[in-house]
Amino acid sequence: MSFRKTILSFLLFGGTVLSLLAGGHDNLCVQTHFGHHGWDPLKNLKLVKELGVGWIRDDLYWGSVEKEKGNYKIPDYAWEWIKEAKKNDLKIILILNGGNRLYKDEYDHDGYVNFARFVAKEMKGYVQAIELINEPFNNFRRAAAKLSDTPTAWNGYDPKTGKINEWALKYLRTMNDMADAINEVAPGEYKILGLGCSPPLNTRLLKQGVSKHIDGMVIHPYSYRLVPELQPYGDTPAFLKRDGVVVGDKAGTFTSINKELMKTSSQNNGPKELWATELGYTTYIQTQPQVQNYGGFTEDAQAKYAQRHLMECLGTNMRLVSWYTFYHRRNSAYHKLAGFGILNYDGTPKPAYNAIQRVAKTMKGWKADKWGDIKVYFQKHRQDPNPVTWDGSLRQTFGEPRAYMFSSNNGKRRAAAIWSTERANSDLQPRSATVIINSDRGLKSITALDMMTGKEENVKFTQKGNLVKIADITVPDHPVMLYLEGSDPVTGQAITDTDIFNSAKNWKLHKARSIKASFSIDNNSVRLNFNGKGYAGISKKLTIQEGVSQLTFQARSTNKITLLLRVIDSTGQTHQYKLSAVPSNQWENFWVDLKNKHQNWGGAKDKKLHYPLTAVLFGLECSSIQQGAIDYKAFQLVNMGNQ
């Protein structure tokens, strides 16, 4: 079978026909590297279009345009792929890239601004976005180092002085003036993209001041040796020492880093959009004995991580995400840059091609939409067997779930994507989970689409009022789309939010003599600090009426520890439920069925729940001396009757 026929054969997934006639997904992109004189654009852009993405990203090198000082010409080979992309309805991110040896400073400020001005005039109608110098912490920084003996670092920070590197300030001036020049000659023609790609460098540049003509902040969120949901950044002492700033939460989650970057941008009148113009996983075979930044992953893992990364970007409304790269850059199994491609060097597809194509085709027309709430409850954690310590900070997944909501057809159709964040391709079977959906619509059916295999199946569920419960569903290490069909409004509230964490009033602390404990309440969550051995908890009186048979809440622990949930019934009998928490520093979802086996004492001493319940306690139990904290929030009452 020919390669083209092989690609076309991928377009039938689980009985769903995926049309090639419509344009590609406008939030998805792939790096093509035609600017490196690689591969035949006339042939390969058709394959990109069949992939289903709406954009390509490629280079235009300054040295190829200005070969004589002051004389500019777009090379013929560049026009070839640029015009071919337009014929195939593919938008272009054009990277103004590289140095020019005609200048003493290969990244001369005025020279680069003039280059940008010329390109902006020439590319009207052909290019939709212009990116201002790829990863300036690489060649741009090295060129600056040749002209100065001042220290340089990839993060733009000198820990000895606490100041930003001069090369980073130079890039900021160059980027700002390039953006202003582009806007001057072609106002409103392009999305103008810039900044330094890494979170700490972007944070510094934003605080220094970015041109109002920069539309998009560029990030390159490679996960290197980590799962896609984690990054080698975050709120740890080691990263603070390394970078001078921290970006993101303690766990280093991809979403927290992006959220903080956009918050910083808003506070400093920076770009309003986030563009991940490079991310990817390589399948190279490592031969060096020393630890490498990039792990060499299996082709199946590359495919699964591609889907997870792209779906998380789509689920968080990122303007664009670009996979790096379309082809292998080298015909070698042993070079890290060779394995990023989703096509082998000979043009044959890898599993990642199929995986990205399914995301592009399946998700076209769907947008992130907070139409309700969805939570995934695992019974057991799936601890990372290969945790990574990066520059002194532990990065580790415990297989936490991800769940993102989408809608299409102006909100008439709804769907959700769920997956486990564990390492791909474990030798263990995927875990089953309970999924709880808070919906204002009565559902007629739920269909699950496995995004890797294309298999579709009907999902059994129960619904009472606004609560939809899927009692047992397999949640694998790659996305599953749940299509929720039904439009009738619901009546009744089977799942009810509470506000018990909005104030410290009427809470009471309990603890063993062998442990010290204190608590505080802030931003609708409670923190319980502990130091010692034994149990500690906080309780509050409240009334829970008959019919409420499940309780849900979220918790976040600094330690591997046993959580306690207690309820007191109308006879004074205590019912205690034990749960397991891990030190993930991420919010975990907990689901407690009050009818399940548990411990009882006091009151009626009959092991039966006597409604109304009159109080609740959130606590912990340490079997050995420990010190740490647990946060609780989002306590809900669930009335599913006898279901």
Side-chain angles (χ1 to χ4, degrees), residues 428-460:
L428 300 174
Q429 290 283 2
R431 292 171 294 171
S432 63
T434 297
V435 174
I436 300 297
I437 302 170
N438 191 338
S439 172
D440 60 353
R441 295 180 181 177
L443 300 184
K444 296 179 179 179
S445 67
I446 300 177
T447 303
L449 168 67
D450 187 303
M451 294 284 279
M452 281 299 299
T453 67
K455 181 180 179 181
E456 294 182 4
E457 61 181 6
N458 293 326
V459 176
K460 294 181 180 180

Side-chain angles (χ1 to χ4, degrees), residues 375-395:
K375 290 187 174 69
V376 179
Y377 298 90
F378 287 124
Q379 292 300 315
K380 292 184 178 180
H381 301 99
R382 187 63 64 83
Q383 187 166 343
D384 189 349
N386 298 302
V388 174
T389 298
W390 196 290
D391 289 344
S393 292
L394 181 67
R395 305 289 83 175

Side-chain angles (χ1 to χ4, degrees), residues 10-20 22-28 49-53 307 310-311 314 353-368 406-409 413-418 447-456 479-483:
F10 290 159
L11 302 178
L12 293 177
F13 298 137
T16 302
V17 179
L18 304 176
S19 173
L20 288 179
H25 198 300
D26 193 47
N27 302 105
L28 299 179
K49 183 176 182 180
E50 289 166 2
L51 182 64
V53 300
Q307 286 196 341
L310 299 185
M311 290 298 292
L314 295 177
Y353 183 100
N354 190 4
I356 293 174
Q357 186 185 60
R358 185 169 279 116
V359 171
K361 298 290 184 177
T362 300
M363 298 307 297
K364 189 178 177 186
W366 291 89
K367 299 292 184 183
F406 301 89
S407 68
S408 69
N409 196 17
R413 294 198 66 200
R414 291 176 174 176
I418 60 174
T447 303
L449 168 67
D450 187 303
M451 294 284 279
M452 281 299 299
T453 67
K455 181 180 179 181
E456 294 182 4
V480 172
M481 280 288 283
L482 300 176
Y483 296 99

Side-chain angles (χ1 to χ4, degrees), residues 439-613:
S439 172
D440 60 353
R441 295 180 181 177
L443 300 184
K444 296 179 179 179
S445 67
I446 300 177
T447 303
L449 168 67
D450 187 303
M451 294 284 279
M452 281 299 299
T453 67
K455 181 180 179 181
E456 294 182 4
E457 61 181 6
N458 293 326
V459 176
K460 294 181 180 180
F461 67 95
T462 56
Q463 181 167 9
K464 182 178 180 182
N466 64 327
L467 188 147
V468 178
K469 179 181 179 181
I470 303 172
D472 189 10
I473 186 172
T474 299
V475 181
D477 56 3
H478 56 272
V480 172
M481 280 288 283
L482 300 176
Y483 296 99
L484 314 176
E485 302 299 341
S487 58
D488 294 337
V490 300
T491 57
Q493 296 286 314
I495 184 165
T496 305
D497 295 326
T498 70
D499 61 357
I500 64 172
F501 296 137
N502 68 346
S503 169
K505 187 177 180 180
N506 298 326
W507 283 96
K508 184 178 180 181
L509 179 67
H510 308 263
K511 69 180 189 66
R513 292 182 179 179
S514 55
I515 192 170
K516 296 180 180 179
S518 63
F519 74 96
S520 59
I521 291 182
D522 181 52
N523 197 27
N524 289 313
S525 68
V526 60
R527 167 159 289 192
L528 179 59
N529 300 290
F530 59 91
N531 186 357
K533 179 181 178 181
Y535 89 95
I538 56 170
S539 68
K540 187 173 185 178
K541 293 181 179 180
L542 80 165
T543 302
I544 300 177
Q545 299 292 351
E546 188 168 3
V548 173
S549 55
Q550 290 94 21
L551 305 175
T552 77
F553 62 93
Q554 292 181 287
R556 180 175 59 188
S557 176
T558 60
N559 299 55
K560 184 176 182 180
I561 205 165
T562 298
L563 299 187
L564 303 178
L565 178 72
R566 296 176 182 174
V567 294
I568 312 298
D569 69 18
S570 60
T571 73
Q573 183 175 197
T574 297
H575 303 263
Q576 176 171 274
Y577 305 83
K578 292 188 176 183
L579 307 148
S580 176
V582 293
S584 68
N585 292 313
Q586 298 186 54
W587 289 106
E588 290 186 74
N589 301 321
F590 289 92
W591 170 271
V592 176
D593 190 329
L594 297 175
K595 296 173 293 185
N596 283 350
K597 184 178 179 180
H598 57 279
Q599 297 173 316
N600 311 78
W601 62 84
K605 298 182 180 179
D606 60 1
K607 300 184 179 181
K608 296 180 180 179
L609 288 164
H610 297 270
Y611 289 90
L613 308 180

Side-chain angles (χ1 to χ4, degrees), residues 229 308 311-312 400-402 404 418-421 475-476 478-479:
E229 298 80 14
R308 281 160 55 172
M311 290 298 292
E312 188 151 52
E400 300 90 349
R402 285 292 185 273
Y404 291 103
I418 60 174
W419 67 89
S420 167
T421 63
V475 181
H478 56 272

